[in-house]
Amino acid sequence: MSDHPRIVLATLNARYIHASLGLRYLLANMARHGGADLRATTVLREYTLARPVAQVVEDLLATLTPSAYQVSAAPIVGFGVYIWNVVQTTEVVRQLKALRPDVRVVLGGPEVSHELEGQAIVALADHVITGWGDVSFPKLCRALIHGPRPLMKVIAGEQPPLEEIELPYAEFSDADLAHRLLYVEASRGCPFKCEFCLSALDKTAWAFDEDAFLAELATLYARGARNFKFVDRTFNLKIDASIRILQFFLNRLAPGAGVAERSAPCPPPASQAPPLPAHNALPPQLPDLGTPLFIHFEVVPDHLPDRLKDAIAKFPPGVLQFEIGIQSFDVDVQQRISRRQDNAKTQANLRWLLDHSHAHLHTDLIFGLPGESWQSFAQGFDRLYAIGPHEIQLGVLKRLRGTPLANRSLPGAVPEHAMVYAAAPPYTVQHTDAVGADEVQAFIRLARYWDLVANSGRFGATLPLVMRGGAAPPSPFAAFGDFAHWLWHTSAITQGKTSGLSPEDLVDALFDYLTTQRGLSPADVRAVLVADYVASGARSNPQSLQGFLPAREAPQIGGRRALVKRQEKRQDLHHAKPTKIEA
């Protein structure tokens, strides 16, 4: 390959640890689908949102061929555009085009696949591919380089049979395997029609060839990959396929498995890892999860037949994580968003997983759905909290372009449930006919504090004291809401803040709240806080615990401290943004 490629694939990830699966699909398919092989002259450039725009543009300019101002020789930059990066990517494109107007900018991704009119980034670009880009992007590049040049700016992405798509996993480098989350997908699409989700536009789900996919997994595993996040919308849709994939991993955990597989080297420490390209800062090493393998799946909770349960039950602790989207337990709300969910089966299966498996359960609820009030959401939260999943992620509804729910708020649409969203990304709901603006803001603060206190894993013994509340009958959601309200408005330590809070800030705030607002014994509260603080491995000295912390030896790798580290890693896995090519 020459020093200057003709095609650059670029995106801005939320964090370095989030590697783009979508761009690797495009890279892998540059040599397919007829015509000239463009793989050798195409490179990948990934940045993070924290990288200044000027630095991103500078690196792209250094990567591109020298200015030619000839259409046939003009370099091409393809950008993956998503709800979380569209603002920064727009500015990157603006500055790039100002400095190099000869560059052909091609956009793709969910944010530019719908409602294109009025988008600043679309106006700046030369071409936009909507929907799937695996085949359409290479074809467009060949046309731009060799002709005939396409006349249309907006190109509808072609959806080929999956067997015609080159799988992308060889494009993950050794540095990716050592330092980043590894996204994989056994299928695309979704048969369900939840109206807040872009997958509602899919007619069904399509599975990749199982033999080919498992062969790719085996190669990744042999290279040392141990952290897999499946981005399939519904992993447990086809039970036979699910069991086969689970058995693939069980074979590598079983005593007596092949020595070559079992002894594949783990990712090296950062100090020994291969040097990274100059355009990326050296990332932190992936934390050790305490197990030889970690696998994340998104599952529907009301579809766990006995055969699948039997396979799940065979996994040891620390290996499986299930992301389970409950979203709402309110039947009327489920009907309004076309969501099919058997609540009784969901509850029963969650309890089975907790009682009979070692899977870590990460459940989701969404605030602001059509017709969902503060009170009905609280009832759903209390229902879920009583089951006892390991994590409850509290999200706020966002308007995703192209979804049936978003289309209800387009100009000229019949108003329904008075859904009003923020005009700027990520288009968070501002108020509805069921929740006011003040309630939405109160929930956003509550959700942030819930992450810091409950989902962080640092306050396992203290949290039950907060959730007990003083109401009769007690409502855990109301109890935590009371704490969140106090923390925001009255705590001298954290007043008016939801970010930048240290574990020590939270320890002191919890002590003040539980003793002054709940009237609990300072000695009792201090005892549980000391237990949580010591177990977390923190090494500072919160004011409320001064004089009560035991003498501490060197930090221990195992025990509760390791559990907290695993909890933090699981949060990374959940919040990771899978940048696959989708409508």
Side-chain angles (χ1 to χ4, degrees), residues 74-365:
I76 301 165
V77 181
F79 287 97
V81 188
Y82 301 85
I83 193 172
W84 67 83
N85 73 7
V86 62
V87 172
Q88 293 90 333
T89 306
T90 300
E91 189 56 30
V92 168
V93 173
R94 190 188 313 279
Q95 293 188 24
L96 181 64
K97 291 291 282 186
L99 294 169
R100 286 288 304 272
D102 64 312
V103 170
R104 298 297 173 187
V105 170
V106 180
L107 307 179
E111 185 64 7
V112 292
S113 289
H114 308 276
E115 302 176 26
L116 274 62
E117 289 188 16
Q119 289 200 56
I121 193 170
V122 172
L124 291 166
D126 296 285
H127 296 282
V128 179
I129 296 176
T130 63
W132 294 39
D134 311 88
V135 169
S136 299
F137 181 77
K139 285 185 176 180
L140 174 60
C141 289
R142 291 190 184 96
L144 291 174
I145 294 172
H146 302 292
R149 183 182 171 188
L151 300 178
M152 301 294 292
K153 176 173 183 171
V154 179
I155 299 168
E158 177 182 342
Q159 181 177 333
L162 293 188
E163 60 268 21
E164 296 181 9
I165 297 176
E166 186 74 23
L167 296 179
Y169 305 112
E171 305 298 342
F172 284 107
S173 68
D174 291 342
D176 291 332
L177 269 62
H179 301 292
R180 311 177 84 175
L181 300 179
L182 199 66
Y183 296 109
V184 297
E185 59 175 357
S187 65
R188 286 189 185 178
C190 181
F192 302 110
K193 303 301 175 186
C194 304
E195 296 190 15
F196 59 84
C197 180
L198 272 169
S199 294
L201 305 181
D202 296 328
K203 294 181 175 62
T204 184
W206 304 273
F208 286 93
D209 180 82
E210 289 180 21
D211 292 334
F213 175 69
L214 291 176
E216 294 287 341
L217 284 189
T219 299
L220 288 173
Y221 191 91
R223 292 176 59 196
R226 296 295 183 272
N227 298 280
F228 298 86
K229 180 169 183 177
F230 280 71
V231 298
D232 305 58
R233 293 303 187 193
T234 310
F235 173 72
N236 57 328
L237 184 64
K238 301 291 186 182
I239 300 303
D240 288 341
S242 303
I243 291 174
R244 190 177 179 193
I245 291 171
L246 290 175
Q247 189 61 51
F248 170 89
F249 290 112
L250 280 171
N251 291 344
R252 284 148 181 81
L253 288 169
V259 174
E261 289 183 335
R262 295 284 291 173
S263 61
C266 291
S271 60
Q272 300 175 17
L276 296 174
H279 58 277
N280 281 317
L282 184 67
Q285 176 71 12
L286 283 176
D288 182 8
L289 290 167
T291 62
L293 189 64
F294 187 83
I295 323 163
H296 176 107
F297 297 111
E298 185 172 341
V299 302
V300 291
D302 55 3
H303 185 51
L304 289 181
D306 289 341
R307 290 192 302 131
L308 186 57
K309 289 180 179 178
D310 290 342
I312 292 170
K314 295 176 183 177
F315 281 84
V319 176
L320 291 182
Q321 172 164 290
F322 292 151
E323 181 180 341
I324 301 171
I326 306 298
Q327 318 313 1
S328 175
F329 273 122
D330 189 290
V331 174
D332 291 336
V333 173
Q334 292 170 353
Q335 291 176 346
R336 292 186 191 105
I337 59 174
S338 304
R339 182 174 180 82
R340 292 180 292 165
Q341 181 170 287
D342 187 320
N343 288 339
K345 283 187 178 179
T346 292
Q347 289 180 262
N349 286 335
L350 288 174
R351 290 193 174 98
W352 182 92
L353 288 167
L354 289 166
D355 292 341
H356 300 284
S357 83
H358 296 294
H360 182 273
L361 306 188
H362 185 121
T363 55
D364 294 315
L365 293 172

Side-chain angles (χ1 to χ4, degrees), residues 34 57 79 92 111 167 221 252 280 291 338 392 395 420 465 482 505-506 544 561 572:
V57 174
F79 287 97
V92 168
E111 185 64 7
L167 296 179
Y221 191 91
R252 284 148 181 81
N280 281 317
T291 62
S338 304
I392 301 175
V420 176
L465 298 182
D482 182 73
D505 290 334
L506 294 170
S544 59
R561 182 167 178 266
D572 280 344

Side-chain angles (χ1 to χ4, degrees), residues 452-473:
L452 293 172
V453 174
N455 288 340
S456 69
R458 291 181 175 273
F459 298 99
T462 309
L463 182 64
L465 298 182
V466 179
M467 304 301 283
R468 198 170 297 160

